[in-house]
Amino acid sequence: MPTHLSNILKKSKQLFDSFFESYTKELFSPKTRITDACMYSLSAGGKRIRPIFVINSFFNPEDLLKESDHKKHKSVYLASLAVECIHTYSLIHDDLPAMDNDDTRRGLPTCHIQFDEATAILAGDTLNSLSFYLLSLLDSKDPNTIRDSIQILHQGAGIRGMILGQMEDIEEEKNPSYKDLESKLTSIHEKKTGALIEASFRLGNRLRPDWKEREAVLSSYAKEIGLLFQITDDILDVEGNLQELGKTPGKDAKAGKLTYPGLYGMNTAKKLRDESVEKAITLVSALPSLNNEFFLGLPKYIAERKN
C-alpha cells in the first residue's frame, strides 16, 4: 500500500475514533445493559471502513491530513458515526441464530453470545434508530442537507438496499433458484453489501458545496467498490483464517450461499476482482476532484486486504 494512502487511512481512522470515544460517552449515558451491548459491538474493533469512506468523500487528502478540530466539521463525523451504527446493527442481527448463526465477530464473541439473543436484537434496533437521529443533528447552510442525508442512508440500509439484499440472500439459501444465478448473485450483493457502501460515499459528498458535480461519478465508483468489497470477502471466506478474518471462515460454502468463487471458481473470481479494481480507478481518473491518492489507491487496498 502506498505510504500516502496509508497515512490517509490511518489519519481518517484516528479522527473517527477520537470523535467516537468523546461523543459516545454522552450518547450512551447513563450505563444500562442495552448501552453496554451497543458499546460492546461498536467498540469491538473493525477497520471503520465505512466511516472512512464518509470522511474521505468530504475532505480532500491535503485538508484531511491537516484536520484536528472536530467542532469545525462535526457534521462529517456525525454522518460517519451514523453509518457505523447502521453497519454494526446489521452485523449484530446478521450473527443471530435466525440469520447466519455465528458466534465470533471481529475476533470476539458475537453480541448474542456475550449477552443474550433478546439483548442483541434490541441493541441492533437501538443502533438502527440512533443512526437517523444522528443525521437529524447535521448542521448545514443548505436546508435540504438533513432530508437528503436521511434519504441516502435509507436507500442504502432500508427496504430497497441492505435489508432487501439480506432477504434475497436468505431466500436463495433456503430455496436455491438455479436460474440466472449471475444476475441473482449481483442483485444480492449490490444491495446487501454495496448499497450501504454507496450511501457512505454519498453522505460525505453531500456535505460538500460541490456535491452535485461529483455525485454521478462518485456513485458509480462506490457501486464498483461495493462489488469489489464483496468479491474480496467471498475470496477471503475461502482462503482466510479465523485469526486474520476475526470471524469464522468457510461458512458461506457450508451454508450453500451463492458466492463468486462458488459460482465462477476461484481463478475467475480473482480475475473479476482485478477487473473491478481497474474499473474503479478509471472512473475517478476522469474527474479532477476525485483524481487523488485516496480514490485511486483504495481499490487495490480493498483487493489486497486480508480481513
Side-chain angles (χ1 to χ4, degrees), residues 49 53 225 228-230 232 236 273 297-306:
I49 195 72
F53 293 163
I225 291 295
L228 174 60
F229 203 91
Q230 187 59 54
T232 305
L236 288 173
R273 176 197 62 191
L298 181 64
K300 289 184 179 179
Y301 166 76
I302 290 174
E304 293 170 0
R305 66 193 173 91
K306 299 298 181 184

Side-chain angles (χ1 to χ4, degrees), residues 98 167-176 255-256:
M167 191 74 256
E168 289 182 0
D169 193 28
I170 291 169
E171 289 176 332
E172 183 62 31
E173 183 181 343
K174 291 182 177 179
N175 299 294

Side-chain angles (χ1 to χ4, degrees), residues 228-300:
L228 174 60
F229 203 91
Q230 187 59 54
I231 296 173
T232 305
D233 255 9
D234 286 356
I235 292 170
L236 288 173
D237 187 68
V238 177
E239 296 186 340
N241 58 65
L242 178 61
Q243 288 70 34
E244 287 183 327
L245 291 177
K247 59 182 180 179
T248 308
K251 287 202 70 178
D252 290 347
K254 290 178 184 177
K257 285 185 179 290
L258 193 57
T259 67
Y260 286 90
L263 181 60
Y264 296 106
M266 186 59 77
N267 288 338
T268 300
K270 289 182 177 180
K271 182 181 177 182
L272 290 170
R273 176 197 62 191
D274 295 342
E275 289 174 353
S276 183
V277 169
E278 295 307 316
K279 287 178 185 176
I281 291 172
T282 299
L283 278 167
V284 291
S285 296
L287 194 63
S289 68
L290 297 174
N291 189 349
N292 61 49
E293 297 91 336
F294 176 77
F295 290 107
L296 294 174
L298 181 64
K300 289 184 179 179

Side-chain angles (χ1 to χ4, degrees), residues 213-230:
E213 64 193 58
R214 293 159 46 107
E215 187 173 43
V217 172
L218 190 62
S219 293
S220 297
Y221 175 84
K223 285 183 172 70
E224 200 62 49
I225 291 295
L227 172 64
L228 174 60
F229 203 91
Q230 187 59 54

Side-chain angles (χ1 to χ4, degrees), residues 96-123:
L96 289 167
M99 300 282 279
D100 279 359
N101 192 24
D102 212 333
D103 58 8
T104 304
R105 172 69 66 176
R106 293 170 172 169
L108 296 172
T110 49
C111 191
H112 70 276
I113 296 294
Q114 182 71 16
F115 293 88
D116 57 69
E117 191 172 341
T119 303
I121 292 170
L122 291 174

Side-chain angles (χ1 to χ4, degrees), residues 41-230:
S41 294
L42 277 170
S43 304
K47 298 177 290 297
R48 307 297 196 196
I49 195 72
R50 288 158 189 80
I52 287 173
F53 293 163
V54 176
I55 290 167
N56 282 278
S57 294
F58 175 80
F59 287 106
N60 298 319
E62 59 272 19
D63 297 324
L64 171 75
L65 295 174
K66 298 174 185 175
E67 171 76 353
S68 60
D69 185 2
H70 291 145
K71 294 178 182 178
K72 185 178 179 182
H73 297 111
K74 185 177 179 180
S75 289
V76 181
Y77 301 105
L78 287 169
S80 302
L81 182 55
V83 167
E84 187 69 358
C85 285
I86 281 282
H87 176 56
T88 302
Y89 123 73
S90 76
L91 299 182
I92 293 172
H93 282 192
D94 197 42
D95 291 332
L96 289 167
M99 300 282 279
D100 279 359
N101 192 24
D102 212 333
D103 58 8
T104 304
R105 172 69 66 176
R106 293 170 172 169
L108 296 172
T110 49
C111 191
H112 70 276
I113 296 294
Q114 182 71 16
F115 293 88
D116 57 69
E117 191 172 341
T119 303
I121 292 170
L122 291 174
D125 293 344
T126 300
L127 294 174
N128 187 352
S129 62
L130 180 60
S131 65
F132 292 96
Y133 165 72
L134 292 170
L135 292 183
S136 77
L137 302 177
L138 299 181
D139 182 23
S140 174
K141 294 178 182 178
D142 182 346
N144 295 322
T145 298
I146 292 176
R147 181 204 66 188
D148 291 351
S149 297
I150 289 172
Q151 289 180 354
I152 287 169
L153 187 57
H154 172 68
Q155 288 164 5
I159 195 169
R160 292 184 177 84
M162 182 179 66
I163 294 295
L164 181 56
Q166 286 278 22
M167 191 74 256
E168 289 182 0
D169 193 28
I170 291 169
E171 289 176 332
E172 183 62 31
E173 183 181 343
K174 291 182 177 179
N175 299 294
S177 62
Y178 304 110
K179 294 180 181 178
D180 197 8
L181 292 181
E182 293 184 9
S183 294
K184 176 61 70 174
L185 179 63
T186 300
S187 177
I188 289 171
H189 293 311
E190 279 183 349
K191 301 179 185 78
K192 183 180 176 181
T193 301
L196 187 57
I197 286 176
E198 182 181 356
S200 302
F201 282 102
R202 290 182 64 203
L203 276 173
N205 185 61
R206 181 59 185 85
L207 297 173
R208 290 175 60 104
D210 61 346
W211 67 275
K212 286 185 179 179
E213 64 193 58
R214 293 159 46 107
E215 187 173 43
V217 172
L218 190 62
S219 293
S220 297
Y221 175 84
K223 285 183 172 70
E224 200 62 49
I225 291 295
L227 172 64
L228 174 60
F229 203 91
Q230 187 59 54

